Amino acid sequence: MHVFKLSMTAGAACTAAAEGTALNGAVLVDNDDVQLARDGALLALDRLGFESCTFVDAVRLPPAPDTARYSGPMKQAYEDAKRDGVAVMLYAVESAG
């Protein structure tokens, strides 16, 4: 599984924020290939209506991470990604447009 830290801008069709809003977030993708995982992250953000994103950082999780040390939202996102293949976490509004 890969975790991508991103900065995203909401588009007109965004379901998570008003158009032009910049958000920080993370996308967890249950794929060991980094390029396929990036593609999965971009598809998930596109489905939510984000018009652009910048990849800030990427981490590949070990095959069986110790999720007991994760925060509640991270643990839920990890479980969602294991079940659904991808999970998006939005965690901070930077600015409104």
Side-chain angles (χ1 to χ4, degrees):
M1 181 174 303
H2 280 85
V3 180
F4 299 101
K5 181 179 176 184
L6 304 124
S7 174
M8 303 152 287
T9 302
C14 188
T15 59
E19 182 178 11
T21 302
L23 299 170
N24 290 323
V27 179
L28 288 75
V29 182
D30 193 17
N31 193 309
D32 289 332
D33 181 281
V34 69
Q35 189 57 51
L36 292 176
R38 277 179 61 100
D39 291 348
L42 290 172
L43 287 172
L45 294 173
D46 186 58
R47 283 191 299 269
L48 290 174
F50 287 96
E51 65 182 17
S52 66
C53 75
T54 301
F55 286 85
V56 177
D57 199 4
V59 174
R60 183 171 179 221
L61 297 179
D66 179 10
T67 60
R69 301 181 75 187
Y70 290 176
S71 67
M74 180 63 179
K75 186 180 240 181
Q76 184 62 54
Y78 177 82
E79 292 169 3
D80 292 348
K82 288 304 269 184
R83 182 187 64 241
D84 301 331
V86 64
V88 178
M89 295 175 56
L90 304 174
Y91 50 80
V93 174
E94 286 183 356
S95 63

